[in-house]
Amino acid sequence: TTVTIVLGTRPEIIKLAPVIDACEEREIAYSVVHTGQHYSEELDTVFFDQLELPAPDHNLGVGSGSQSEQTGAMIREIETVLLDEQPELVLVQGDTNSVLAGAIAASKLDCEVGHVEAGLRSFDRTMPEEVNRVLADHAADYCFAPTEQAAGYLREEGIDDDDTIHVTGNTIVDAVMGYRDLAAAKSDVLGELGLDAGDFCLLTAHRAENVDDRERFESLLDGVARFARDADLDVVYPVHPRANERLAAFDLAMPDEITPIDAQDFLDFLRLESTATLVLTDSGGVQEETCILGTPCVTLRDNTERPETVDVGANRIVGVAADGIVTGAHEALSQQNGWENPFGDGHSADRILDIAGIGSAASVGEVHG
Ligand code: UD1
Ligand code: UDP
């Protein structure tokens, strides 16, 4: 095998889909290892089907667990597969436990490791994702940074500039550009949910630091509901299984202003993001996608590792206090759209394979902002 791609969660499947497509086009001998961190159909197989990805060559079936239980099981299982596959390059993407496990296992074997979406920093080490990012970057031979700012953080941490750090753009741009028009043509989600384009808000909230804390989760829902009432806008909330489980465990009632719906497939979700008046989210990927699609975003967190979205005027960080959400959401609604997408030109996947010297080069050159 030339390249082994390790993935395990919804965002990794979406953001590595363009890399898998590029491997197919170049006719590279590659394999896909699915850790099984996500296993519910709505977080997993629905994306393989819709993005027309081949089934993973290996599914490790690790599932849910405590941080170290889950990560440890993944490291052990990934090592077994890599010893068998003997790849030249292992690619991981993002900041989940699957990324950390893939990076650690691969870095101790005779292969190179590439971290896609390297150099993101929230500077909040209480988040498991921040620990995963830092460790994966320092285990990698290639840090594929989406932006110059991310590359700068890596340099500040002493990572070898010329050999290791490469600014490639973010593969989410490849995915959004590839599927946006298809979503507009094919998705009937607005009709199914009885929504009018430009007349509703989209909410996602699933982060451990928000939904695992009863007070924070309640305050977040309360703030969004108060804003919806003030602005007279419907809110739809595709609920991640983690949030669903917490809602039940905390016996939290969903405010009337917020309509919970199932987690959506990619085309329906892109359609909702493209046509929403405003998106409220604690997701990383959703901050990027709204910025690319031109929809204003309010981030229900105390910090972000995607400051580029704030700098271009697409996003504001409002925390989870109800007052802050209401004020921030009104501000976001009244501002001008029309910012520049800071995440690249949609050729990130080819650029990544070109830099790693995998297959015949597509020669997409350097990324320009
Ligand atoms: C993980 C990532 C997070 C990412 C998110 C993407 C880590 C530390 N966190 O969070 O950064 O934003 O994926 O969606 O890696 N569950 C299911 N079905 C599944 C998977 C999970 O029901 O297929 C439920 C289980 O109750 C599980 C809980 O969700 O205990 C949390 O799952 P876990 O994989 O630990 O983290 P996520 O919250 O999905
Ligand atoms: N997404 C989706 N359906 C949904 C919610 C999100 O397809 O109901 C997609 C979204 O388009 C983005 C990715 O999932 O590409 C973001 O994943 P998530 O928010 O789970 O993780 P994060 O980006 O925060 O790690």
Side-chain angles (χ1 to χ4, degrees), residues 11 37-40 64 70 96-97 129 206 240-242 245:
Q37 179 172 347
H38 282 177
Y39 44 85
S40 298
S64 307
Q70 187 182 53
T96 68
N97 289 346
E129 291 87 356
H206 75 284
H240 186 287
R242 180 187 204 112
E245 200 212 3

Side-chain angles (χ1 to χ4, degrees), residues 207-285:
R207 288 274 171 184
E209 77 266 19
N210 284 339
V211 305
D212 287 5
D213 179 327
R214 192 182 197 283
E215 260 177 49
R216 283 182 69 94
F217 200 2
E218 190 169 30
S219 170
L220 179 162
L221 294 173
D222 180 41
V224 174
R226 272 175 44 194
F227 166 70
R229 211 161 44 238
D230 277 9
D232 194 22
L233 286 166
D234 291 329
V235 180
V236 285
Y237 175 14
V239 187
H240 186 287
R242 180 187 204 112
N244 233 345
E245 200 212 3
R246 292 291 94 197
L247 284 167
F250 294 145
D251 198 20
L252 270 181
M254 188 62 68
D256 290 342
E257 293 82 357
I258 302 174
T259 308
I261 57 175
D262 291 340
Q264 300 290 296
D265 64 35
F266 191 51
L267 292 186
D268 286 349
F269 192 77
L270 270 183
R271 185 73 186 139
L272 289 170
E273 280 182 304
S274 315
T275 56
T277 315
L278 177 70
V279 175
L280 304 112
T281 191
D282 64 6
S283 160

Side-chain angles (χ1 to χ4, degrees), residues 99-128:
V99 174
L100 176 60
I104 290 182
S107 68
K108 304 219 181 156
L109 300 176
D110 183 22
C111 60
E112 294 194 299
V113 186
H115 185 204
V116 178
E117 200 180 83
L120 273 62
R121 295 291 182 268
S122 67
F123 302 100
D124 177 358
R125 293 277 180 115
T126 65
M127 295 175 67

Side-chain angles (χ1 to χ4, degrees), residues 41 46 56 79 82 95-96 106 183 199 250 267 269 304 321 361:
E41 201 211 339
V46 76
E79 180 181 62
L82 294 182
D95 58 17
T96 68
D199 197 24
F250 294 145
L267 292 186
F269 192 77
T304 184

